[in-house]
Amino acid sequence: MNPPSHSPRVDVPPRYVVVPAGDGSPTIRDTLLSETFHPELGMDQEIDRLLDQPEVAQMSFPSGQPRVFWDLGLGAGGMAAGILRHQAASPHDVHLHSFDVRWDAFDLACSSSLPHLSNLPTHTLRQNGSAAWQEGGSLRRWTLHLGDLPTLMEANPPGTFPSPDLIVVDLHSPESQPELWSLSFWRNLHHHCRSKPCLLLFHTRSTSVRATLLLAGFFVGLGRALGKKEETTLAATSPTGLTRPLNLTWLETLARSTQGQPLISPPYTRQPIDPGYLESIRLHPQFRP
Ligand SMILES: C[S@@+](CC[C@H](N)C(=O)[O-])C[C@H]1O[C@@H](n2cnc3c(N)ncnc32)[C@H](O)[C@@H]1O
């Protein structure tokens, strides 16, 4: 008689792990994509600095309405927690909409008791997909939209999700997640935020990403330095949202760049910008005298 056959046990290493960031604080690493969240400054400092920009301080919110924030890439909730911290003293209602395709990094951050999530109703958010609470007499509401962002933006008409005043974009790089950086995604996102002035904060300073955002209809400007990056990027639905808009000198840099080609659709190639795209960007109202 043959002995019973057992298939050998294969231990699959976890995709997300807790690792120290550059400042020693705990953060999360996606081992599949080899990307660490906020690797240099850590979970708290990075978002605090990103939000500490004159363009954010000068934002005018429609009166009598809740302030609406979109958090693109909930991940471990670092950016979301930072937005709530930033608004802690606000007497206005705050509606925070996080988007992600999976809960895994958030679950690990919760089970590891990462400090940025302490005092937040993470359990209710995880169970119900949303949580609401009072803070100093005004409402905080935090909602997670689970799904593929490009599909959510394309399949749902503008107005499906409350129109944002501020969007914090914290997605992995175009190299590791090309589908999140295509022109059609940014065009669809622009449609979702056209009904009122909206400001977007990015970590990147990539010329090709900036060219893509301009083609999508956004006004684009320089953002503050962040760690080793001497500048980041801001985008806005109106030129008044920016204090340092990209100018004609930047257009010349784009025209000369060997990697200025906008991210139209994957696979992307690093190459100089096609003359047709360059002409479209030249005609953008941002560059009109
Ligand atoms: C850099 S992490 C976000 C980190 C997070 N902002 C934080 O501070 O903890 C990027 C996130 O984008 C999410 N993501 C990746 N592809 C996505 C997609 N197609 N749609 C929505 N979210 C996606 C990932 O699951 C990941 O959690």
Side-chain angles (χ1 to χ4, degrees):
M1 201 169 75
N2 291 332
S5 71
H6 294 289
S7 29
R9 200 176 130 216
V10 180
D11 284 328
V12 181
R15 172 166 177 176
Y16 295 95
V17 292
V18 177
V19 296
D23 68 346
S25 65
T27 187
I28 300 258
R29 180 167 176 77
D30 181 338
T31 59
L32 188 68
L33 298 180
S34 300
E35 298 240 16
T36 301
F37 303 174
H38 319 302
E40 196 186 345
L41 301 176
M43 215 44 109
D44 289 350
Q45 267 198 79
E46 193 168 306
I47 177 68
D48 289 350
R49 290 198 195 175
L50 210 51
L51 288 166
D52 180 23
Q53 306 203 51
E55 291 82 354
V56 178
Q58 288 157 20
M59 282 173 63
S60 60
F61 294 87
S63 64
Q65 294 178 30
R67 297 180 165 191
V68 181
F69 296 84
W70 283 18
D71 161 41
L72 299 194
L74 169 75
M79 289 287 177
I83 291 167
L84 291 167
R85 261 196 321 277
H86 186 257
Q87 291 295 308
S90 167
H92 305 279
D93 291 352
V94 171
H95 291 190
L96 170 60
H97 294 267
S98 292
F99 294 78
D100 209 300
V101 75
R102 59 180 69 82
W103 282 104
D104 308 38
F106 189 76
D107 286 346
L108 179 61
C110 293
S111 64
S112 309
S113 304
L114 293 199
H116 65 281
L117 293 177
S118 59
N119 305 322
L120 290 176
T122 50
H123 186 67
T124 311
L125 177 73
R126 183 63 175 93
Q127 268 203 326
N128 304 338
S130 81
W133 67 101
Q134 291 287 321
E135 197 162 281
S138 54
L139 179 74
R140 302 289 178 265
R141 186 187 297 282
W142 187 9
T143 306
L144 185 277
H145 303 280
L146 192 64
D148 172 54
L149 252 178
T151 308
L152 288 176
M153 291 301 120
E154 189 178 354
N156 293 288
T160 309
F161 310 106
S163 200
D165 298 292
L166 181 80
I167 302 182
V168 179
V169 181
D170 188 19
L171 302 168
H172 293 305
S173 64
E175 288 74 30
S176 48
Q177 298 219 283
E179 70 282 5
L180 291 175
W181 294 93
S182 71
L183 177 59
S184 62
F185 170 60
W186 297 106
R187 278 203 173 127
N188 287 331
L189 185 69
H190 186 256
H191 289 151
H192 279 267
C193 28
R194 266 196 316 201
S195 65
K196 62 179 174 180
C198 176
L199 181 69
L200 293 85
L201 314 184
F202 293 80
H203 292 80
T204 183
R205 49 157 303 169
S206 148
T207 303
S208 56
V209 169
R210 289 173 172 175
T212 311
L213 294 170
L214 286 161
L215 280 182
F218 290 103
F219 293 81
V220 180
L222 304 184
R224 71 165 296 172
L226 196 63
K228 288 186 191 123
K229 286 183 193 153
E230 64 273 29
E231 61 188 43
T232 52
T233 297
L234 301 177
T237 48
S238 129
T240 53
L242 304 173
T243 57
R244 294 188 293 158
L246 301 178
N247 56 19
L248 293 175
T249 310
W250 180 85
L251 256 188
E252 287 163 23
T253 309
L254 172 66
R256 282 196 312 270
S257 171
T258 54
Q259 300 181 13
Q261 179 73 340
L263 308 176
I264 304 300
S265 57
Y268 308 122
T269 46
R270 289 173 188 270
Q271 62 179 69
I273 186 167
D274 284 350
Y277 294 132
L278 183 59
E279 190 52 24
S280 299
I281 292 174
R282 276 193 208 286
L283 295 174
H284 191 293
Q286 173 158 346
F287 301 108
R288 286 202 199 123

